[in-house]
Amino acid sequence: MKNIHFDNLYSKWYYIPVLSVSVLLIASFILFRESEYAHLFYIFSTVLSVSLITRNFWYKAYVQYNSNRISIRINTSSQINLKFDGITKIEHQVDQLLITENAKVHLINIQHINPEDVQKLVNLLVERTSAFYEDIRELTYYK
């Protein structure tokens, strides 16, 4: 089972690395501009910057969110960017999650994803939106 990596963009754990790399870049430029080790410092700070920028590509299942938007990438190479205000319906099926934004339906394949993480994603969507939530996994139909 794959886990979903959640990244809250308002969390201090998101901004501390970004701010520390920024301070490191400025300090390296000011203090080590004419030093013989300046190129090593520049390479190190560049590698840190690239690693911070590309951290959402490290995981196969990745969710970034703040108070207005959510970005979801699960089992694909492309992301779905949604505004919480635009989500009107959330439908949780056995192997997929259907999110309706205004009139567009986004299909997210949640097969082989940890069910606890899927439930955490659904809870995040339900608590931040006023969307209609429908859980179809447990329904049984009689003839």
Side-chain angles (χ1 to χ4, degrees):
M1 292 296 217
K2 297 176 192 168
N3 292 327
I4 298 175
H5 180 78
F6 291 90
D7 206 0
N8 183 356
L9 296 180
Y10 283 136
S11 170
K12 66 180 177 182
W13 297 111
Y14 183 78
Y15 285 108
I16 287 176
V18 173
L19 291 175
S20 62
V21 167
S22 301
V23 168
L24 184 68
L25 281 170
I26 292 169
S28 68
F29 184 71
I30 293 171
L31 299 175
F32 301 106
R33 180 178 6 192
E34 297 169 4
S35 173
E36 60 211 37
Y37 299 112
H39 66 283
L40 292 176
F41 221 57
Y42 291 143
I43 290 172
F44 177 70
S45 60
T46 303
V47 167
L48 277 176
S49 300
V50 168
S51 67
L52 286 174
I53 291 169
T54 61
R55 70 176 151 188
N56 61 339
F57 298 111
W58 299 349
Y59 305 99
K60 187 70 175 172
Y62 188 77
V63 173
Q64 266 186 335
Y65 63 95
N66 60 17
S67 61
N68 297 329
R69 295 181 131 329
I70 188 166
S71 177
I72 304 170
R73 185 175 54 82
I74 298 176
N75 290 333
T76 63
S77 60
S78 62
Q79 293 189 136
I80 300 170
N81 295 312
L82 304 168
K83 290 180 86 172
F84 285 124
D85 294 339
I87 298 175
T88 56
K89 184 178 179 185
I90 303 163
E91 190 174 316
H92 191 180
Q93 297 178 358
V94 176
D95 289 337
Q96 57 192 6
L97 190 65
L98 296 168
I99 301 173
T100 306
E101 180 189 26
N102 298 327
K104 187 174 182 181
V105 177
H106 301 280
L107 174 70
I108 300 172
N109 183 10
I110 54 173
Q111 192 174 18
H112 305 297
I113 300 292
N114 189 358
E116 293 173 2
D117 289 340
V118 172
Q119 191 60 46
K120 185 176 177 181
L121 173 62
V122 167
N123 290 343
L124 178 73
L125 288 169
V126 168
E127 79 180 25
R128 301 217 177 198
T129 65
S130 58
F132 176 73
Y133 174 65
E134 187 176 4
D135 192 357
I136 301 183
R137 296 172 298 159
E138 303 292 326
L139 294 180
T140 55
Y141 296 100
Y142 299 101
K143 293 183 180 180

